[in-house]
Amino acid sequence: MIEFEHVSKHYGNTVALDDVSFTVPDGTVSVLIGPSGCGKSTSLRLVNRLLEPNDGYVRVDGTPVREFPPQILRRGIGYVIQSVGLLPHMTVEENIGLVPKLLGCDKRDRSRRAGELLELIGLSPDEYRNKYPIQLSGGEAQRVGVARALAANPPILLMDEPFGAVDPLNRETLQQEFISIQRKLRKTVIFVTHDLDEAVRVADRIVLMRDGNVVQTGAPEEILGAPANDFVREFVGSDRALKRLARFIVGDFMIDAPSVDRGAHLDWNRYRDFEVVYVTDDHRHLLGAVPRDGRAAMSSAEDAMDDALVGAVSFGSTLRDALAEILNTELAETPVVDEHGHLVGRITMAEIYSATPRRIV
Amino acid sequence: MTSRAMRATFQIVLLLFLLLFVYMLDFRLGVLRLLFPLQRELIYQRVTLPTLVIQHLQMVTISSAAATIVGLLIGVAVTRPAGRDFLPLARDLSSFAQTFPPAAVLALAFPVLGFGFRPTVAALFVFGLLPVINNTISGIESVDSRIVEASVGQGMTQKQVLFRTELPLSARVIVAGIRTSIIINIGTATIGSTIGAGGLGTVIIAGLVRNNTAFVLTGAITAAGIAFVVDWLFGRIETLFYDPRERVTT
């Protein structure tokens, strides 16, 4: 657990942090976000003593960080910054092994650990071990930065705009990977970003800051659903309701979808309450959809269906994706499939409206 | 032939020429006779050329080694947090000292250190110091501050940051400074013979006094040849280190 207790920091007459208090519970991701100069990076650096507060305490598991020698403290805290943080004269393996080396691990252990971590972040150890940072793409360098922070298995990770230098497409992949790694490892993470979408995606809690003060803290859906004041409302944007949908998983909201086998005759009398019936094969693979007003008296469902209507969302995606899909089709709903393409349910506008903050991604 | 192969060939020919010129009397005689057919006295008799070369190299080695060590220490000291206040001073002093003529340094040094070897080495030391200090400062300053901060953030001590991050990343620039320092000293050391320090200057001065261009050229060719070879050697050493132009892609 990381606690900020009435922490203030100023540079000369400039106040960077003004009596800031918040808590990061164990095993959760807290995202510090706000406009530039709000004090989010300053807060992060107070934790590993790259900066010292003028007043107040920063505690890790109850102990003020100032009671640890800085080097010892830092070796126990993973630190990820934009990819320039890799040492350019060292190979990927040497970069990952940096902290273990400082802690006195021998070369064999370091090499083994680097292999494990490269596997974890999805880079082939044999291929990447001996590369230099300049030979990596932005996304790869960033992954190696995460691996380096995890090398000594620290309980705490500090991430300072870790994906800021990566293009949007890669950034989303990196965020997904980070989320799945975090699900496995359950680190206590402070994550600094200025990208609200990123915050909504990775955060368990958001700490929204402005001019050295904490404006609002809470789960992303709370902040998006109930902005504390005009500043927050403006910061999260008029599309906050849309952003909030990104916090909800399709699988938790979907309802049963009516379906017929492709060989069977479609009898609308049986589906009186439905606007759309889905057509599947013997293994319940989704093939297409038949809208009520579509071609009627055909011999089989397969002949009647319109396969142009078969856009679907996966049950692991978010309600935001589902809404986008609904708007993409001519139907007022979208089918949901599992990872094998099997039809497992559907989402209509009613489910979108019903979304309530009851699950954290 | 590629330009690299051409350079290598040129370097080998040059090295061979230098060795033959210094150590084979007949070869040197042949070269000088070709250049100066009318000159009767072609070979300086009082001291052999290999002896002068050794004296010359001694002066350069001692002064440059001392300059390298002291220059590195000063350069590192003024880039530490505690010494940072002295950084502008070190820069100004080293730039200022470089504008001093070597002869003036000698003139100032010999009343204190006497004639000969010692004041010459002292003057060369002062001269050799400057490029080393300048390049050490520039090299360390040019290391991306974010990389330094990342190193600190991973838990390196100040000493580890210096030895594992700053020096390896600036080594190429520092070696370039040492290279410049030695090359300057090889040339400047010839002036030491005016106060009796020996070295290749001896034969040059003798040539000037007796109006014997063959003598002047003997000293000049040899000093230039040594400078070439040392320069080439250090060029190779530089490539062993990290090239700061290779920035990390972000």
Side-chain angles (χ1 to χ4, degrees):
Chain A
M1 190 162 70
I2 305 167
E3 294 159 285
F4 278 67
E5 194 183 303
H6 302 296
V7 176
S8 295
K9 171 77 185 167
H10 48 82
Y11 303 102
N13 288 329
T14 318
V15 176
L17 288 178
D18 180 16
D19 193 22
V20 163
S21 300
F22 63 87
T23 302
V24 182
D26 276 337
T28 64
V29 180
S30 285
V31 172
L32 307 188
I33 191 169
S36 1
C38 71
K40 49 190 196 293
S41 279
T42 303
S43 303
L44 186 89
R45 288 159 188 218
L46 290 171
V47 179
N48 63 0
R49 292 191 65 187
L50 287 175
L51 298 173
E52 302 289 349
N54 296 98
D55 206 359
Y57 290 95
V58 178
R59 298 177 198 273
V60 170
D61 293 331
T63 313
V65 289
R66 71 173 61 148
E67 287 178 18
F68 297 99
Q71 283 82 32
I72 305 300
L73 179 77
R74 288 171 195 148
R75 289 170 196 172
I77 296 179
Y79 186 44
V80 188
I81 52 179
Q82 290 189 12
S83 59
V84 283
L86 293 181
L87 300 185
H89 60 301
M90 293 185 185
T91 62
V92 165
E93 177 169 314
E94 287 165 341
N95 265 292
I96 295 176
L98 196 66
V99 181
K101 190 173 180 182
L102 297 177
L103 290 168
C105 272
D106 68 33
K107 190 164 163 41
R108 247 218 342 252
D109 286 346
R110 294 204 304 268
S111 174
R112 207 197 51 226
R113 181 74 180 140
E116 284 170 18
L117 285 162
L118 284 171
E119 294 275 0
L120 179 74
I121 56 170
L123 298 178
S124 148
D126 294 335
E127 190 184 335
Y128 284 91
R129 219 181 256 289
N130 296 317
K131 284 195 175 183
Y132 282 89
I134 196 163
Q135 298 169 293
L136 303 176
S137 73
E140 288 164 353
Q142 209 51 83
R143 286 185 180 87
V144 173
V146 172
R148 178 175 67 178
L150 292 170
N153 202 17
I156 295 173
L157 277 187
L158 305 178
M159 308 179 83
D160 195 352
E161 307 218 8
F163 310 138
V166 185
D167 64 84
L169 209 68
N170 267 312
R171 192 181 312 161
E172 210 171 313
T173 316
L174 285 167
Q175 288 160 358
Q176 293 302 341
E177 286 174 9
F178 167 69
I179 291 166
S180 70
I181 289 173
Q182 167 64 5
R183 259 189 218 137
K184 274 184 237 164
L185 303 180
R186 288 278 160 213
K187 302 289 183 192
T188 305
V189 183
I190 298 187
F191 190 114
V192 166
T193 183
H194 58 259
D195 176 353
L196 186 63
D197 288 319
E198 180 167 82
V200 170
R201 223 169 268 139
V202 305
D204 294 311
R205 289 170 64 78
I206 286 179
V207 177
L208 182 55
M209 301 181 73
R210 180 202 196 183
D211 298 337
N213 291 292
V214 173
V215 185
Q216 189 176 3
T217 61
E221 47 273 25
E222 280 167 42
I223 293 199
L224 293 168
N229 58 32
D230 286 345
F231 167 74
V232 182
R233 204 165 292 122
E234 197 183 324
F235 186 81
V236 298
S238 49
D239 61 342
R240 61 179 183 276
L242 209 52
K243 284 179 176 133
R244 193 161 156 271
L245 285 179
R247 296 289 298 176
F248 305 118
I249 299 297
V250 162
D252 296 335
F253 288 86
M254 66 187 182
I255 54 174
D256 285 342
S259 66
V260 293
D261 190 82
R262 63 173 164 194
H265 177 72
L266 173 54
D267 177 7
W268 276 109
N269 292 327
R270 281 184 58 202
Y271 299 104
R272 206 166 287 143
D273 301 334
F274 300 103
E275 290 302 310
V276 183
V277 174
Y278 297 98
V279 182
T280 60
D281 67 7
D282 311 341
H283 304 288
R284 284 193 61 79
H285 284 115
L286 178 64
L287 299 174
V290 187
R292 177 179 286 283
D293 57 0
R295 284 160 289 181
M298 294 284 181
S299 55
S300 71
E302 192 169 16
D303 294 331
M305 80 179 185
D306 186 345
D307 50 13
L309 297 176
V310 79
V313 292
S314 112
F315 67 46
S317 54
T318 68
L319 284 189
R320 187 176 179 164
D321 302 327
L323 178 62
E325 192 54 47
I326 290 173
L327 298 176
N328 273 341
T329 71
E330 297 163 33
L331 310 174
E333 59 180 73
T334 178
V336 180
V337 295
D338 65 11
E339 64 266 40
H340 307 297
H342 297 151
L343 179 69
V344 291
R346 63 188 176 121
I347 293 279
T348 71
M349 288 307 287
E351 280 72 53
I352 305 267
Y353 289 129
S354 78
T356 49
R358 58 186 159 97
R359 187 177 167 84
I360 291 170
V361 179
Chain B
M1 209 162 23
T2 65
S3 67
R4 224 173 124 178
M6 262 164 70
R7 256 180 67 198
T9 314
F10 173 71
Q11 282 157 351
I12 290 167
V13 170
L14 192 85
L15 185 64
L16 268 176
F17 177 85
L18 183 67
L19 287 174
L20 289 173
F21 189 80
V22 173
Y23 290 100
M24 259 187 70
L25 201 61
D26 290 341
F27 180 79
R28 194 191 325 154
L29 205 60
V31 171
L32 292 173
R33 182 155 292 144
L34 208 66
L35 291 169
F36 306 101
L38 301 176
Q39 180 64 257
R40 278 187 296 134
E41 199 184 358
L42 287 170
I43 302 295
Y44 184 67
Q45 297 291 354
R46 207 174 295 165
V47 192
T48 66
L49 190 56
T51 310
L52 292 177
V53 167
I54 288 182
Q55 287 173 350
H56 202 84
L57 287 180
Q58 268 176 350
M59 287 190 286
V60 172
T61 309
I62 293 171
S63 59
S64 289
T68 299
I69 292 166
V70 175
L72 259 172
L73 288 176
I74 293 176
V76 167
V78 299
T79 51
R80 297 309 92 196
R84 209 156 262 282
D85 291 345
F86 297 97
L87 184 77
L89 183 72
R91 263 190 209 283
D92 292 349
L93 268 183
S94 67
S95 306
F96 170 70
Q98 197 122 51
T99 63
F100 240 65
V105 178
L106 281 186
L108 289 172
F110 85 79
V112 185
L113 296 167
F115 284 94
F117 189 77
R118 289 205 306 181
T120 310
V121 168
L124 294 181
F125 164 74
V126 172
F127 259 73
L129 206 51
L130 317 174
V132 180
I133 293 179
N134 267 342
N135 278 40
T136 305
I137 293 173
S138 311
I140 290 178
E141 296 270 281
S142 72
V143 175
D144 193 323
S145 63
R146 290 169 296 187
I147 292 175
V148 174
E149 199 188 282
S151 306
V152 175
Q154 307 298 322
M156 288 194 197
T157 60
Q158 279 202 27
K159 211 169 103 186
Q160 286 165 333
V161 173
L162 177 66
F163 284 105
R164 295 185 189 195
T165 302
E166 289 180 312
L167 287 182
L169 290 178
S170 54
R172 209 177 168 119
V173 180
I174 295 175
V175 171
I178 297 171
R179 177 183 181 178
T180 310
S181 153
I182 295 175
I183 302 304
I184 290 178
N185 277 358
I186 290 171
T188 314
T190 51
I191 210 169
S193 53
T194 53
I195 54 169
L200 291 166
T202 311
V203 59
I204 295 177
I205 301 291
L208 291 173
V209 169
R210 295 196 228 161
N211 201 12
N212 183 334
T213 323
F215 284 3
V216 175
L217 214 63
T218 301
I221 286 175
T222 311
I226 293 171
F228 255 114
V229 171
V230 170
D231 187 58
W232 162 67
L233 196 72
F234 270 79
R236 295 302 296 269
I237 294 175
E238 273 178 41
T239 62
L240 298 177
F241 295 103
Y242 170 78
D243 183 347
R245 279 165 300 187
E246 293 172 11
R247 285 279 168 232
V248 193
T249 51
T250 53

